[in-house]
Amino acid sequence: MKRIIATLATSTFLAGPALAEMLPLEKDILTFGFIKLTDMAPLAVAYEQGYFDDEGLFVTLEAQANWKVLLDGVIDGTLDGAHMLAGQPLAATIGYGTEAHIVTPFSMDLNGNGITVSNDVWEMMKPNVPTMDDGRPQHPISAEALAPVVDDYRAKGEAFKMGMVFPVSTHNYELRYWLAAGGLEPGYYGQDDTTGQIGADVLLSVTPPPQMPATMEAGTIHGYCVGEPWNQQAVFKGVGVPVITDFEIWKNNPEKVFGITAEFAEENPNTTLAITKALIRAAMWLDENDNANREAAVEILSRPEYVGADAEVIANSMTGTFEYEKGDTRDVPDFNVFFRHYATYPYYSDAVWYLTQMRRWGQIGEAKPDSWYDEIAQSVYKPEIYLEAARFLVEEGLADEADFPWDSDGYRAPTPSEDIIDGIAYDGRAPNAYLDSLPIGLKGDQRVVGNEVQG
Amino acid sequence: MTAIDTHTIQDAQREERRARLFTRINKADKWFKVLGLSWLTPMLRAAVGDNPKAQVKEIWKLLGVPLVAIAAFLMFWATLAPTVQTSLGAIPGPGKVWEEAVGLHQDALQKGEQERAFAARVDERNQRLIEAGRADEVKDIPFTGAPSYYDQIWTSIQTVFFGFLLATVVAVPLGIIAGLSPVANAAMNPLVQIFKPVSPLAWLPIVTMIVSAVYVSNDGLFAKSFIVSAVTVTLCSLWPTLINTSLGVASIDRDLVNVGRVLKLNTRTKITKLVLPSALPLIFTGLRLSLGVGWMVLIAAEMLAQNPGLGKFVWDEFQNGSSSSLARIMVAVLTIGIIGFILDRIMFALQSLFTFSNNR
């Protein structure tokens, strides 16, 4: 009641209450890009559930061919914003690849990826994987089980190749993390060599997500790391076996973000807030009542204009289970997290992790002080916009005050060692110490010169 | 006496009517041929009562044989398709494809309803703004939902015509110049030979970069993606028109040229009265080829650039990889084929309208 009076007092000439709550928008006709992956769900849900409408936003969602096209679209203004790999805004801002200042007020989800190998590779790996009492393989599976297979391939004089979706993608870093945790070298990026295969045991290359299963089926790659539904698709098509989910590599690791240019955020502060509000509501809806709305979300995502894969394939991972080998379905309740665990809050520590991985594999060529990591994180991740949007929602009675980390300094509590596959804890406040604690990867003042690591 | 008289008169009248009908049918036949409906002629003739046996034979040749061939093709398809297993299941047969076509139609109807609901919401919003005294914020907001299948077809057709018109505007004058002047022809020929075989997929990145750099505004008359697709179509489809025009112009009857000289026609009159009319059949042949090439190129450009249209529809479905994707792509393939055929017929009809020479 107090609110209504307050609204009336400030804007008595406004007629409808819905309009009164609407922020004065600088821009209300927007186009957002996305890649056909289940973690674009907050965008589809915000559209279909009318959350964009509630904010007075008229949004068009457009599927993009690949991550490069999507990033270029945001930079040149064809797209006002997009579902992005968390590494993309960071890499663009520090000028790795295309240079542009991109920011994010909203983190889209946690987890949601998997690593799949072809049937042949799985048959060769299987003897190295410990089994449970019922004979099924014991998860999580370490890349140590893959190492002898890679050796076999090399002995035959054949390269072992795996696919990831983009040089600065979560998938690239997760795949590298898993391989390195199992003692395999995924290779370094050099100053002039952007293939990332310097000194590699396993050659990683870029393949767009929807083409992963087909590329593996064709034998071009022997495995890949990608988001859903393309791991489950491999199971359905019978072309491969997912060996591990990213939840098992690092519990509740940050995944996609919603990216806009710094320029857009500056010129359209209210629009940015309104978008963030709508996306937060969508994320809340996705996780509400213990994932009660996930079936409905699956139906939305299976429409051809969004992800478009068969509903049963999408449902496999979206509803808290994951099918490894055909018939071996296990519960992974947090496979896709959209709101719980403060999933949507853009933590600086999440940004720092991505930066450490860029440094670890040579995409950042020189050593940087801890303060640099913090600075870059703060220039890209915008929790202040997020919290302002959340405050509006709480005031409008649409969100619960307890669901947001109001007093956070932007850093998550350090991830304990038991939550990460190689047992190495991660503290975003001390990136250099973290880099030093990883056995494989650049550390200290090490640099990649020509074809080798120096220093 | 009178009775016989009326009979003969009636007979004569009937004969006359029949003769008139036949001339009409013969006249219409020209158009039936243009429209691909030539089998109508023998049917009409048979209806009027002209040597039924001969007409039945004609009908069989013009309508029966193609129908049997199509039926045979469908049967082949239906029996062979299920034997090939892809990773998305068996290749869909004609039945499944038809189902998907119906599904796409229903989907379009549903989208139409969504669009109306959206328009109503926008109206409501504008009404509220007016009531609130903020009339300056009233806007006509275009539908933000996904385009329906028919929208995609319409976008593709618009794009191909825009690109084709652009190509015509460039190619016909250039062709005339090349045809009239051997020097200009020698200058243009190597460039034409080099650029003619370039694939749309090679042009596309260049066009995309240049359009992005030159056409900065995002709120212009045309969407950037539309310009990119259309210009790619232009670049690939202008060659047949150019070459045929210059050939047509170069091969004008010498006598005509000499007459023009004697009459001391100025260049303008020479081109409009002499050159164009006699080169027109070849120009139209070039245009027909160009439109065909343009249509083929457009789908490839849309697929690669993800620009709206049928090409994007195909690519999206390929990426979706759902169990109905293959059948939907086949619906698109058939649509592309049928529209390409209709476009060709339209050009053929125009050609028949504007030129008096025999069909080419």
Side-chain angles (χ1 to χ4, degrees):
Chain A
M1 193 63 203
K2 225 200 257 167
R3 243 191 67 72
I4 295 172
I5 293 167
T7 319
L8 286 176
T10 52
S11 49
T12 40
F13 58 89
L14 294 181
L19 206 67
E21 281 165 16
M22 250 161 57
L23 293 157
L25 301 171
E26 297 85 2
K27 187 169 186 194
D28 56 3
I29 302 179
L30 302 162
T31 309
F32 296 152
F34 68 90
I35 296 285
K36 288 177 172 286
L37 290 165
T38 51
D39 56 18
M40 62 74 65
L43 285 170
V45 168
Y47 184 89
E48 295 293 334
Q49 291 290 104
Y51 299 150
F52 284 135
D53 290 347
D54 289 352
E55 301 297 331
L57 297 168
F58 295 91
V59 172
T60 306
L61 298 175
E62 269 179 15
Q64 305 293 308
N66 57 53
W67 292 112
K68 169 98 173 79
V69 168
L70 176 137
L71 181 64
D72 289 346
V74 173
I75 293 172
D76 73 19
T78 320
L79 301 172
D80 295 296
H83 160 233
M84 278 188 189
L85 295 160
Q88 280 186 309
L90 293 162
T93 301
I94 64 173
Y96 186 78
T98 321
E99 185 162 3
H101 192 182
I102 294 180
V103 300
T104 176
F106 179 84
S107 176
M108 288 187 74
D109 62 324
L110 303 178
N111 312 321
N113 300 324
I115 295 174
T116 296
V117 296
S118 70
N119 290 333
D120 293 347
V121 173
W122 174 241
E123 285 311 317
M124 293 165 78
M125 267 176 86
K126 224 173 171 179
N128 313 327
V129 178
T131 50
M132 300 188 298
D133 294 340
D134 60 1
R136 292 188 303 170
Q138 187 181 333
H139 285 278
I141 294 171
S142 159
E144 278 165 23
L146 180 68
V149 182
V150 174
D151 288 342
D152 274 3
Y153 269 83
R154 299 178 86 189
K156 278 189 288 179
E158 220 180 294
F160 192 84
K161 297 181 213 153
M162 292 184 89
M164 43 85 182
V165 303
F166 200 66
V168 297
S169 66
T170 329
H171 316 84
N172 185 19
Y173 303 132
E174 279 169 357
L175 186 50
R176 283 165 180 273
Y177 202 98
W178 180 68
L179 291 170
L184 285 164
E185 287 273 3
Y188 294 98
Y189 289 85
Q191 290 310 63
D192 313 310
D193 180 353
T194 51
T195 55
Q197 298 179 344
I198 297 171
D201 295 331
V202 177
L203 303 182
L204 306 188
S205 59
V206 172
T207 307
Q211 271 112 65
M212 286 289 187
T215 312
M216 189 171 73
E217 198 180 3
T220 316
I221 49 177
H222 303 107
Y224 55 76
C225 178
V226 76
E228 275 313 299
W230 311 116
N231 294 291
Q232 292 299 295
Q233 184 82 304
V235 178
F236 269 74
K237 289 165 114 188
V239 299
V241 177
V243 285
I244 191 165
T245 64
D246 60 343
F247 179 74
E248 295 162 312
I249 297 175
W250 174 11
K251 281 197 179 66
N252 296 324
N253 64 88
E255 187 40 51
K256 305 290 186 316
V257 297
F258 180 76
I260 50 181
T261 59
E263 203 186 351
F264 179 90
E266 221 164 83
E267 286 170 5
N268 311 289
N270 287 332
T271 306
T272 307
L273 271 178
I275 298 166
T276 313
K277 280 173 74 183
L279 290 176
I280 293 174
R281 286 180 70 193
M284 282 166 43
W285 182 84
L286 278 160
D287 276 11
E288 223 164 53
N289 300 329
D290 231 358
N291 296 352
N293 294 325
R294 288 295 178 92
E295 286 292 348
V298 166
E299 190 277 318
I300 293 174
L301 289 178
S302 69
R303 295 181 198 167
E305 63 259 41
Y306 299 124
V307 181
D310 286 345
E312 52 174 347
V313 179
I314 297 175
N316 239 18
S317 66
M318 280 286 280
T319 50
T321 57
F322 194 78
E323 187 169 2
Y324 291 89
E325 269 177 284
K326 211 158 202 144
D328 184 1
T329 303
R330 304 193 192 182
D331 287 338
V332 187
D334 279 350
F335 184 88
N336 267 131
V337 173
F338 290 102
F339 191 68
R340 295 187 288 275
H341 316 306
Y342 303 138
T344 50
Y345 183 93
Y347 279 104
Y348 298 141
S349 43
D350 294 351
V352 171
W353 185 79
Y354 281 98
L355 292 168
T356 60
Q357 300 307 301
M358 289 177 198
R359 169 66 190 136
R360 183 183 185 187
W361 303 117
Q363 290 173 334
I364 296 172
E366 309 277 337
K368 304 277 183 190
D370 283 359
S371 59
W372 180 86
Y373 287 91
D374 181 59
E375 244 166 63
I376 298 295
Q378 297 216 19
S379 79
V380 175
Y381 278 46
K382 298 292 173 195
E384 59 277 12
I385 299 177
Y386 176 89
L387 286 181
E388 205 180 337
R391 179 56 67 195
F392 273 113
L393 289 175
V394 172
E395 277 177 14
E396 286 164 29
L398 294 168
D400 190 348
E401 172 119 35
D403 284 343
F404 303 96
W406 302 102
D407 306 321
S408 170
D409 65 348
Y411 282 86
R412 285 178 200 267
T415 315
S417 54
E418 64 266 26
D419 280 2
I420 301 182
I421 191 165
D422 55 359
I424 294 172
Y426 166 67
D427 181 1
R429 289 186 183 84
N432 279 304
Y434 171 65
L435 280 168
D436 290 341
S437 68
L438 296 163
I440 295 182
L442 299 184
K443 45 181 74 75
D445 285 330
Q446 282 184 326
R447 306 176 50 176
V448 178
V449 180
N451 273 334
E452 55 185 307
V453 177
Q454 288 184 358
Chain B
M1 191 70 187
T2 43
I4 296 164
D5 254 348
T6 38
H7 266 292
T8 21
I9 290 165
Q10 273 175 348
D11 276 353
Q13 275 176 341
R14 199 175 296 141
E15 269 310 307
E16 212 175 298
R17 233 185 358 242
R18 259 178 59 144
R20 262 208 314 273
L21 267 173
F22 277 126
T23 32
R24 250 183 232 158
I25 291 173
N26 283 338
K27 246 188 200 157
D29 180 49
K30 196 182 138 204
W31 286 105
F32 289 151
K33 271 196 185 121
V34 168
L35 298 171
L37 302 170
S38 37
W39 46 271
L40 267 177
T41 315
M43 274 198 167
L44 289 176
R45 282 214 180 113
V48 180
D50 178 34
N51 186 6
K53 220 172 184 178
Q55 299 315 325
V56 166
K57 216 170 157 190
E58 273 290 287
I59 294 171
W60 166 246
K61 198 180 86 192
L62 293 172
L63 185 64
V65 174
L67 282 182
V68 168
I70 290 173
F73 168 73
L74 287 177
M75 254 165 55
F76 248 127
W77 179 9
T79 37
L80 288 182
T83 60
V84 183
Q85 281 291 333
T86 72
S87 56
L88 292 175
I91 289 183
K96 183 86 176 47
V97 170
W98 175 248
E99 249 171 57
E100 284 303 328
V102 173
L104 282 171
H105 174 68
Q106 271 156 0
D107 182 61
L109 293 183
Q110 207 186 333
K111 289 223 167 90
E113 243 154 63
Q114 279 170 10
E115 204 167 336
R116 273 189 290 281
F118 180 87
R121 277 210 313 279
V122 172
D123 283 346
E124 198 185 318
R125 166 189 180 272
N126 286 342
Q127 194 55 41
R128 276 209 320 254
L129 281 171
I130 291 168
E131 280 165 15
R134 288 155 66 179
D136 54 321
E137 287 175 44
V138 167
K139 259 184 231 171
D140 188 23
I141 294 165
F143 181 53
T144 59
S148 72
Y149 189 59
Y150 298 131
D151 292 337
Q152 303 277 40
I153 294 176
W154 181 230
T155 313
S156 283
I157 291 178
Q158 279 175 313
T159 318
V160 81
F161 270 110
F162 187 78
F164 170 70
L165 283 180
L166 222 59
T168 309
V169 168
V170 175
V172 171
L174 277 183
I176 291 174
I177 295 170
L180 287 178
S181 143
V183 179
N185 190 33
M188 266 186 253
N189 196 39
L191 294 175
V192 171
Q193 298 303 330
I194 289 173
F195 288 127
K196 192 178 60 147
V198 177
S199 133
L201 304 188
W203 280 123
L204 195 65
I206 301 176
V207 174
T208 310
M209 298 309 278
I210 293 177
V211 170
S212 299
V214 176
Y215 192 73
V216 193
S217 147
N218 275 322
D219 327 302
L221 193 55
F222 304 108
K224 233 183 231 175
S225 55
F226 177 81
I227 303 273
V228 169
S229 305
V231 171
T232 310
V233 167
T234 305
L235 282 175
C236 294
S237 72
L238 82 110
W239 314 113
T241 308
L242 178 52
I243 292 166
N244 276 292
T245 306
S246 73
L247 190 69
V249 171
S251 52
I252 304 174
D253 200 333
R254 285 294 116 192
D255 294 343
L256 273 176
V257 178
N258 290 336
V259 169
R261 268 204 203 112
V262 170
L263 293 176
K264 294 213 171 79
L265 293 176
N266 61 15
T267 324
R268 198 194 145 86
T269 330
K270 196 172 109 191
I271 289 175
T272 49
K273 299 281 182 215
L274 283 182
V275 175
L276 273 182
S278 54
L280 218 47
L282 263 174
I283 292 180
F284 265 102
T285 309
L287 288 177
R288 238 174 106 190
L289 286 170
S290 277
L291 191 59
V293 169
W295 181 244
M296 263 205 291
V297 161
L298 176 70
I299 304 297
E302 285 173 348
M303 270 179 87
L304 195 74
Q306 294 281 286
N307 291 339
L310 276 170
K312 182 173 166 61
F313 174 85
V314 170
W315 190 248
D316 277 352
E317 283 302 334
F318 173 57
Q319 290 211 316
N320 286 350
S322 80
S323 49
S324 54
S325 288
L326 266 185
R328 284 179 178 219
I329 292 174
M330 287 185 187
V331 175
V333 165
L334 292 177
T335 313
I336 292 166
I338 290 167
I339 291 176
F341 170 70
I342 293 172
L343 289 180
D344 188 62
R345 281 290 134 179
I346 291 173
M347 286 310 294
F348 186 50
L350 282 177
Q351 185 175 7
S352 318
L353 260 183
F354 283 107
T355 58
F356 303 104
S357 59
N358 290 331
N359 299 330
R360 278 168 197 273

